[in-house]
Amino acid sequence: MLFKSLFLSLILSSLSFLSYAQLSTDTLVNTARPKIGLVLSGGGAKGFAHVGVLKIIDELGIPIDYIAGTSMGALIGGFYAIGYSAVDIEKIILNQNWEDLLSDNVSRNFVPIYEKKDFERYILSFPIKPKGIELPSGIVEGQNVLNLFERLTIDFHDETDFKKLPIPFLCIATDLETGKAVVLDKGYLPLAMRASMAIPTFFAPIEIDGKLLADGGMINNFPVKELIKMGADIVIGVNVQSGVKSKKELKSLLDIINQTVSLMALNNFKDNLKYCDIYIKPKIDNYTVGSFQDADSLIHRGEEIARTFIPTLMDLKKKYNLQKREIKRYIPPCDTSEYYLKDIEFNGLNEVSYSLLSGKLNYGKNSNISLHELQDGINRAYGSRYFDHVDFQMKGENEKTLLINVKERTTKRFNVGLHYDSDNNASVLLNTTFRNKLKSGSRLSFDLKLAESPRFKTTYTIDNGLKPGLNVEAEFNDSEVYAFDDGAKIGSYDFNYLKFDINTHTIFRESYSFGLGGKIEYFNINSEFTTSDLIIARDEDYYFTYYAFLNLDSHDTAYYPKKGMSLYAEYKLVTNNGLKLDEMDRPASVAYLKFQKAISMSSAFTVYPKFFGRVVWGKNIPSFFMSYTGGMDQTDYFDIQVPFVGLERMEIASTNSFIFRTDFQYELFRNNYLILKMNAGKLVEDVNDALTQGEWIKGIGLTYSYNSLIGPIEFSLMYSDKKNGISNYVNIGFWF
């Protein structure tokens, strides 16, 4: 009896397997027009080849009734499913800056001006959580990718059943908790596409319905069976995986990641392949998952291989009298596309206030909003640095409800910077930043610079946008500064500087700020030598200073900009007691102006004029407030320094200094620059005699620079008419 039961079970299992295996053939017996399914595998940038295959499918008029995709196949399949043509998808791909898209970078135009100084000075940044400093779950959160998906699918945000899309669609993700494949055929389409392509370690995983999801290619990179379950009778499969490589072929990190994914999904792939009726594999072995700059070539390779299948596809079309389905073509939205906002809802706010987020977005209810305005608001909110990601969902027919989803950034972060230059030598910056302390929208920062000239600075800032905000700073610097005679160093002195500064300011359009403030400054100088025209051997004093400032920064990048300008203007009154300066019946006055504008002459050549000016009015001005000209560093430790190419740091002392400079910047090839720097200046004791008296100085420099992941790496040769011979200057890393 037991034997008969086992035998019967075996027979039934075999019949079930054979029935499933023949599903794509048997169902054709009872239907006049078989259902055609399309499977698109994952493969990173190599997935662009799918578009070439789709172009031929469109050209031949082959109807596609179901689509299933994984990773990049999910991205392209999702767009095709909502009505984009292959040509539309090709245009979308070729018009992207993939380096920016596959990062969380946001244009500096959307970063508040007080944050721009910190925007590019760290090489490492870690969240601080209750258990200590933690590594992020992925190198990239996927802010820009998800925003792109949301814009391109905006008219389908209401459709939560992917089977009801113009072409029924599903994609595959991996549940990181169970290790099982998850079929995503309902929900929010952009988020499902993003989850399917969340390559582990590179993209942070996505949580959907309580499951933490990552790239589906780890388990099922070729979901043929899932397509058959949808109802497909005939399956066309496009596979862009490179397969398992030998150890000699594993040459890069991307190769290792791709190999790991391929090995994990290998058995599933072999099983799925058995049910694929038409199997197309583009010849793209020379490309990698990271070949995003070769998009046009990869699309061509896909089209090329698909053309060899034209006879097979045409036979299929004729055999079953296949006719192209009439699917309404989806017209891509453009920047001027407008939507009427009836209501705005926020999801994910906890420590950040409603007013801060709504102020950054600057959207109005019961009004029209363009897609461009919508994206600008998202960028401003993300650029505020209070969120790890900001995305949106547009619900409703004619009157829309805009749902803004945010993930608040960990309010505590630990940051590290490294730097070396010829003037200041090596230094390490350790920074801890806390947000939303005491007040939502606030930022508390502690800087500790470890170097021969150490520095400590703490800053507390409250950003209220157009409304007056608050900035409080305390800073200590211990610097070694050199004295010079006819271009030669004659000694050094220890310069200690302590400052407590408070100001109120207004920020508008993220790039402009204006403010008023006051500070208490303490200077202490010690040295073993004395110079008649510079300082006495030992000196110290306190000063009370009032100031007004205007700050503007619209440069596209902090280093090697190609457009935009920056301006910092400050006027201050210097006193000993809050009312006047010693030996004067009024305060001394100091004005400082720094202006730089990048003028792009071509994609590679930029002219970068600059002006630095510092003017001091008053009698018996303390040496602490004189102007010191020289140096190429970009620090702001002391506002008494005026940069000059060809001189060493703070080499020449004068009362007033006016420097005119132009940099001619040429990008030889990607991130490699050759820069000719020419400057001339006038040093004068009495500003009223600036046109008729004073000393002219001239200098020139030639810099070769590489803009690396750790910041600029620069080597400069310089000459000045105030020094003998040619000097050199080395700079490595972000300035801080």
Side-chain angles (χ1 to χ4, degrees), residues 225-344:
K225 287 184 180 181
E226 284 68 22
L227 196 67
I228 292 173
K229 290 177 183 177
M230 289 180 78
D233 299 309
I234 296 174
V235 176
I236 302 171
V238 187
N239 176 29
V240 297
Q241 303 173 83
S242 59
V244 178
K245 294 184 177 183
S246 68
K247 63 180 181 180
K248 292 183 179 179
E249 295 174 300
L250 299 175
K251 300 177 180 179
S252 69
L253 177 62
L254 288 176
D255 289 337
I256 300 296
I257 293 175
N258 194 45
Q259 180 88 333
T260 303
V261 171
S262 296
L263 287 171
M264 293 174 67
L266 185 59
N267 289 334
N268 253 333
F269 170 73
K270 290 179 178 178
D271 189 33
N272 276 299
L273 186 58
K274 293 184 292 188
Y275 306 111
C276 185
D277 298 284
I278 299 176
Y279 178 65
I280 301 174
K281 184 167 176 52
K283 297 177 180 179
I284 51 178
D285 288 343
N286 292 332
Y287 299 87
T288 72
V289 294
S291 298
F292 291 95
Q293 304 306 318
D294 298 314
D296 53 349
S297 177
L298 283 160
I299 292 172
H300 176 73
R301 289 295 182 95
E303 188 174 351
E304 193 174 57
I305 193 68
R307 289 197 179 279
T308 67
F309 280 81
I310 287 179
T312 303
L313 294 171
M314 289 304 295
D315 286 346
L316 179 69
K317 184 176 182 180
K318 291 176 182 177
K319 181 177 180 179
Y320 298 107
N321 191 28
L322 300 178
Q323 300 296 322
K324 180 73 173 178
R325 289 177 60 199
E326 290 298 325
I327 296 175
K328 182 180 179 181
R329 182 185 173 192
Y330 184 52
I331 306 299
C334 60
D335 283 349
T336 56
S337 299
E338 288 199 343
Y339 305 88
Y340 182 80
L341 292 188
K342 181 67 176 177
D343 196 12
I344 303 172

Side-chain angles (χ1 to χ4, degrees), residues 683-700:
L683 311 180
V684 61
E685 295 308 312
D686 188 339
V687 68
N688 296 318
D689 299 327
L691 296 178
T692 58
Q693 298 182 19
E695 177 186 16
W696 280 99
I697 56 174
K698 296 178 284 294
I700 188 170

Side-chain angles (χ1 to χ4, degrees), residues 572-679:
K572 64 183 179 181
L573 301 175
V574 181
T575 74
N576 292 108
N577 54 16
L579 297 175
K580 63 180 182 177
L581 190 65
D582 287 347
E583 301 184 28
M584 293 179 61
D585 57 1
R586 60 181 178 81
S589 301
V590 180
Y592 177 73
L593 176 64
K594 175 183 177 181
F595 173 80
Q596 305 175 98
K597 181 173 177 60
I599 305 170
S600 180
M601 310 304 291
S602 70
S603 60
F605 182 54
T606 303
V607 178
Y608 197 20
K610 306 179 181 186
F611 172 76
F612 307 95
R614 194 168 184 279
V615 178
V616 182
W617 294 275
K619 298 178 180 179
N620 300 313
I621 301 298
S623 58
F624 307 121
F625 293 98
M626 299 284 283
S627 301
Y628 297 89
T629 302
M632 292 180 65
D633 64 346
Q634 299 177 34
T635 60
D636 60 352
Y637 301 161
F638 314 114
D639 60 8
I640 58 177
Q641 179 185 356
V642 181
F644 191 86
V645 177
L647 297 177
E648 295 189 56
R649 181 171 178 257
M650 299 174 64
E651 182 170 337
I652 301 179
S654 63
T655 305
N656 306 290
S657 179
F658 305 93
I659 305 300
F660 302 89
R661 171 173 154 186
T662 301
D663 292 358
F664 300 91
Q665 173 182 295
Y666 186 78
E667 189 171 12
L668 299 170
F669 46 94
R670 184 177 174 77
N671 288 327
N672 287 261
Y673 298 87
L674 189 65
I675 308 171
L676 177 64
K677 303 176 180 181
M678 305 174 65
N679 52 197

Side-chain angles (χ1 to χ4, degrees), residues 562-573:
K562 294 186 177 180
K563 61 181 180 180
M565 62 178 285
S566 67
L567 180 147
Y568 183 79
E570 180 180 281
Y571 179 81
K572 64 183 179 181
L573 301 175

Side-chain angles (χ1 to χ4, degrees), residues 673-733:
Y673 298 87
L674 189 65
I675 308 171
L676 177 64
K677 303 176 180 181
M678 305 174 65
N679 52 197
K682 196 169 192 182
L683 311 180
V684 61
E685 295 308 312
D686 188 339
V687 68
N688 296 318
D689 299 327
L691 296 178
T692 58
Q693 298 182 19
E695 177 186 16
W696 280 99
I697 56 174
K698 296 178 284 294
I700 188 170
L702 184 65
T703 298
Y704 180 84
S705 179
Y706 172 57
N707 194 16
S708 73
L709 292 174
I710 64 170
I713 300 176
E714 299 177 325
F715 177 76
S716 301
L717 295 175
M718 306 179 296
Y719 173 79
S720 169
D721 61 347
K722 305 301 292 183
K723 299 179 74 71
N724 295 322
I726 296 175
S727 58
N728 63 73
Y729 185 82
V730 176
N731 169 62
I732 300 173

